[in-house]
Amino acid sequence: LQKAFSAAAAAKPRRGQLADWAAVVEGTRCAALLRSRMRPGPVLDLGVGAMITAWFLAESVPVLALRSEGPFPSSLLEAGLVELPDEPLDELIESLREMGAEPGLVFLQPSLLVGHGDDRKMGVRSDFWASVGSARQRYPGMPMAGAMLTSEGREVPHWAVPAVLAPMLGTRNNIRLELPCWAAGGCEEAVPRPLLTLTMILKNEARRIAETLESVAKAVDRAVIL
């Protein structure tokens, strides 16, 4: 943990691949979304990261990475990413809390869902997902977020966020998507009531879709966009 905080305090390079990755993320609405969810404390980076991990490092945020499958880019390690392989997530979170360093954000990389490199299978075992869900249940206020695009350009299907991640994380009416990322937490939890689904058939509505969905966010439990 001390290594991660020391790396975050060090000056970050203003040029090179990491700086370029961070600049790309900064140019999207994803950057504002992540800032709105992040709390003081280290980011737990789950899976094999690239662009958004570089953005965290450029923001001088301590980043602790739990690898699932595949190596981390060496440039991230050189920039201060601290690798903690094979560490149970719930035990790590509890250890951080005992040390007075509660995670500021848990970030799920797309490699967890779509694999890494040439491996197109889900990158982790079912017990890993169980630990993620357990961590969310034990610490319901802990924000979580994730990326939708791998460094190889492989995209997480949009339906995977509400259909797979929302039930697993125990979020309801609480996930916002701003490409290339999504985030849960920081919103009001839905009051238990009969479920309501919003179904929309859209075409060429990218400029207004975010505003439209935000206007009904407190009234519906899920949105299906065709």
Side-chain angles (χ1 to χ4, degrees), residues 11 20 45 69 77 104 113 119 123 129 147 163 166 174 188 192 202 212:
D20 292 342
D45 196 3
E69 297 292 336
L77 297 173
L113 289 169
D119 185 3
W129 289 116
N174 198 17
E188 295 181 4
L202 304 177
T212 300

Side-chain angles (χ1 to χ4, degrees), residues 16-103:
Q17 186 181 49
L18 292 186
D20 292 342
W21 282 349
V24 169
V25 176
E26 185 62 34
T28 70
R29 297 176 68 175
C30 174
L33 176 61
L34 292 176
R35 287 195 181 99
S36 71
R37 297 299 193 266
M38 291 168 60
R39 300 176 178 178
V43 169
L44 299 187
D45 196 3
L46 312 183
V48 181
M51 295 184 69
I52 296 182
T53 302
W55 181 84
F56 286 134
L57 293 170
E59 290 287 292
S60 297
V61 175
V63 182
L64 303 175
L66 296 180
R67 186 180 66 188
S68 55
E69 297 292 336
F72 288 111
S74 59
S75 55
L76 294 178
L77 297 173
E78 293 170 358
L81 181 71
V82 177
E83 181 181 1
L84 300 173
D86 301 324
E87 184 80 15
L89 175 61
D90 52 354
E91 294 182 13
L92 173 60
I93 292 176
E94 188 61 34
S95 297
L96 291 174
R97 289 172 67 95
E98 292 175 357
M99 297 170 63
E102 186 171 343

Side-chain angles (χ1 to χ4, degrees), residues 60-222:
S60 297
V61 175
V63 182
L64 303 175
L66 296 180
R67 186 180 66 188
S68 55
E69 297 292 336
F72 288 111
S74 59
S75 55
L76 294 178
L77 297 173
E78 293 170 358
L81 181 71
V82 177
E83 181 181 1
L84 300 173
D86 301 324
E87 184 80 15
L89 175 61
D90 52 354
E91 294 182 13
L92 173 60
I93 292 176
E94 188 61 34
S95 297
L96 291 174
R97 289 172 67 95
E98 292 175 357
M99 297 170 63
E102 186 171 343
L105 181 73
V106 174
F107 194 79
L108 306 179
Q109 293 290 348
S111 62
L112 302 175
L113 289 169
V114 297
H116 176 72
D118 295 331
D119 185 3
R120 299 302 181 96
K121 297 180 181 179
M122 184 175 289
V124 294
R125 304 186 305 269
S126 59
D127 57 346
F128 178 87
W129 289 116
S131 68
V132 173
S134 174
R136 178 70 181 183
Q137 292 174 4
R138 293 173 64 185
Y139 315 112
M142 183 175 59
M144 286 191 171
M148 298 292 292
L149 193 67
T150 70
S151 57
E152 299 91 4
R154 194 180 310 160
E155 187 175 0
V156 174
H158 285 60
W159 57 261
V161 175
V164 177
L165 295 175
M168 180 190 66
L169 299 179
T171 58
R172 288 167 44 182
N173 201 26
N174 198 17
I175 288 185
R176 180 174 172 181
L177 181 65
E178 293 286 3
L179 295 179
C181 69
W182 59 267
C187 302
E188 295 181 4
E189 292 289 345
V191 177
R193 56 178 171 75
L195 299 180
L196 178 64
T197 297
L198 169 67
T199 303
M200 306 173 68
I201 301 177
L202 304 177
K203 182 178 181 180
N204 300 329
E205 297 291 342
R207 295 182 179 180
R208 293 185 291 271
I209 185 60
E211 179 180 355
T212 300
L213 293 177
E214 289 173 0
S215 69
V216 298
K218 294 184 179 181
V220 301
D221 298 281
R222 61 176 67 89

